């Protein structure tokens, strides 16, 4: 019998509570920092413009081969549902705001494609369903990803290679996996093995923020969730980038016409953790 990977809500001790100061972060602040530090170096990072009005770069620099998705081989990662990875264990033990130890969600095949996260019970609005440490952080800088991958154990490296991969993002498979799954964590991006399994919706169920103090990605519900519902996040507020950056066309039904893009949005910054509800 197959056992899905499940995630429990564990009561947080006071010292593990996240300070709001640690979570608060804006793209504008961070962009100013990269710019000043000269960390804006390659590919997507070559934003043009000033903080607050970042000019989108052309699709070619992200999906060099073609702007529209062709047939792609989706890594469905069958073994993920049976093995608790390093990050999964971290996610479990990092707890949530709910007192019960019962599982809140499982990772299993999704009708959207590949794997997805699904609620195992009704979950109330504003529940922290997961806190996850990064498997690693890396920039797009030449060689940095390879350097970080070198540091992983064999098991961690295997988990990374099982993640979904939109192959048109890069000829190098590791880089393509990195780009398909990364979350922005300031001047670098992080790979979070469990968070990587959450699919996109333009009307997502989950909001996510990054806690710099504890280096955790925090997922919480935006509204009440019903048992069995897929737990989705928003990768980008502009659905036209989903085909170029992730290889699928959005069929959520709420993004046509496209969602309003806030002025501070930089398309370099897909999957930017945030705290507000304004997109
Ligand atoms: C970060 S992964 C998300 C988890 C992925 N489904 C898996 O199996 O690991 C991103 C990939 O998931 C798929 N995906 C995510 N959201 C989707 C959606 N709303 N509709 C179709 N495919 C989606 C796309 O293939 C995308 O490249």
């Amino acid at each position: 019998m197959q056992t899905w990977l499940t995630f429990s809500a564990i009561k947080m001790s006071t010292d593990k509570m996240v300070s709001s100061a640690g979570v608060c972060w804006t793209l504008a602040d961070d962009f100013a920092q990269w710019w000043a530090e000269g960390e804006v170096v390659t590919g997507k990072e070559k934003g043009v413009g000033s903080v607050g009005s970042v000019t989108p770069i052309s699709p070619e620099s992200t999906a060099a081969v073609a702007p529209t998705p062709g047939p792609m081989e989706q890594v469905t990662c069958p073994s993920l549902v049976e093995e608790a990875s390093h990050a999964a264990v971290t996610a479990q033990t990092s707890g949530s705001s709910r007192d019960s130890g019962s599982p809140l969600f499982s990772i299993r095949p999704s009708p959207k494609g590949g794997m997805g996260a699904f609620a195992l019970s009704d979950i109330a609005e504003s529940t922290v369903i997961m806190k996850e440490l990064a498997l690693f952080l890396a920039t797009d800088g030449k060689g940095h990803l390879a350097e970080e991958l070198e540091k992983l154990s064999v098991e961690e490296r295997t988990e990374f290679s099982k993640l979904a991969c939109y192959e048109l993002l890069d000829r190098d498979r590791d880089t393509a996996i990195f780009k398909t799954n990364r979350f922005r964590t300031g001047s670098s991006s992080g790979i979070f093995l469990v968070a990587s399994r959450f699919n996109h919706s333009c009307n997502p169920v989950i909001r996510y923020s990054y806690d710099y103090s504890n280096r955790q990605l925090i997922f919480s519900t935006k509204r009440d969730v019903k048992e069995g519902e897929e737990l989705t996040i928003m990768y980008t507020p502009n659905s036209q980038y989903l085909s170029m950056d992730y290889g699928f066309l959005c069929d959520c039904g709420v993004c046509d016409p496209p969602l309003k893009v806030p002025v501070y949005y930089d398309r370099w910054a897909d999957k930017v953790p945030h705290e507000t509800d304004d997109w």
Side-chain angles (χ1 to χ4, degrees):
M1 202 180 83
Q2 201 153 33
T3 318
W4 303 130
L5 186 61
T6 57
F7 300 87
S8 304
I10 295 168
K11 193 176 187 310
M12 286 191 304
S13 60
T14 341
D15 61 328
K16 286 206 175 141
M17 295 291 286
V18 178
S19 83
S20 56
V23 175
C24 283
W25 173 79
T26 66
L27 176 61
D29 291 340
D30 206 56
F31 191 83
Q33 182 198 325
W34 318 322
W35 199 254
E37 291 174 4
E39 291 185 21
V40 184
V41 283
T42 63
K44 271 189 164 184
E45 296 100 319
K46 277 187 187 160
V48 179
S50 57
V51 174
S53 64
V54 180
T55 309
I57 61 168
S58 68
E60 291 76 40
S61 48
T62 298
V65 188
T68 47
M72 63 179 173
E73 187 188 319
Q74 179 70 61
V75 178
T76 52
C77 187
S79 68
L80 180 76
V81 296
E82 292 166 347
E83 300 161 11
S85 65
H86 163 75
V89 172
T90 305
Q92 276 183 298
T93 54
S94 294
S96 82
S97 61
R98 224 173 68 157
D99 289 352
S100 141
S102 58
L104 281 182
F105 67 91
S106 66
I107 303 294
R108 59 179 170 82
S110 163
K112 292 185 188 299
M115 308 297 282
F118 294 83
L120 288 170
S121 58
D122 291 355
I123 308 173
E125 183 183 339
S126 300
T127 300
V128 175
I129 62 156
M130 177 174 75
K131 293 183 169 197
E132 186 179 10
L133 289 168
L135 180 65
F136 65 86
L137 303 179
T139 64
D140 277 0
K142 215 175 173 190
H144 193 208
L145 173 61
E147 213 176 275
E148 291 304 314
L149 288 174
E150 279 291 304
K151 295 179 191 165
L152 299 180
S153 67
V154 175
E155 293 76 20
E156 290 170 337
R157 187 73 177 75
T158 306
E159 290 302 324
F160 173 78
S161 66
K162 288 177 190 167
L163 292 176
C165 178
Y166 178 36
E167 288 161 351
L168 295 188
L169 288 176
D170 205 287
R171 285 197 172 88
D172 173 58
R173 184 169 176 84
D174 285 338
T175 306
I177 293 176
F178 180 64
K179 289 182 175 178
T180 307
N181 293 282
R182 66 187 168 181
F183 285 79
R184 278 284 317 287
T185 52
S187 54
S188 53
S189 298
I191 290 296
F192 300 81
L193 290 177
V194 180
S196 284
R197 297 297 175 175
F198 284 65
N199 286 316
H200 166 91
S201 169
C202 293
N203 184 20
V205 177
I206 302 294
R207 72 159 63 80
Y208 50 104
S209 57
Y210 187 64
D211 171 11
Y212 280 89
S213 317
N214 296 302
R215 299 178 165 219
Q216 290 175 324
L217 194 60
I218 302 174
F219 276 33
S220 57
T221 48
K222 289 180 64 147
R223 59 166 171 79
D224 290 348
V225 175
K226 288 279 171 216
E227 178 181 347
E229 246 189 274
E230 177 156 9
L231 302 176
T232 50
I233 60 174
M234 186 187 275
Y235 293 180
T236 164
N238 197 331
S239 62
Q240 68 180 321
Y241 296 137
L242 292 169
S243 61
M244 294 182 289
D245 291 347
Y246 296 97
F248 70 92
L249 295 170
C250 191
D251 63 352
C252 71
V254 301
C255 62
D256 186 22
L259 296 175
K260 189 169 161 269
V261 182
V263 288
Y264 57 79
Y265 177 67
D266 166 18
R267 68 160 301 221
W268 186 100
D270 291 340
K271 286 203 233 143
V272 181
H274 61 97
E275 276 210 305
T276 60
D277 265 342
D278 52 2
W279 53 275

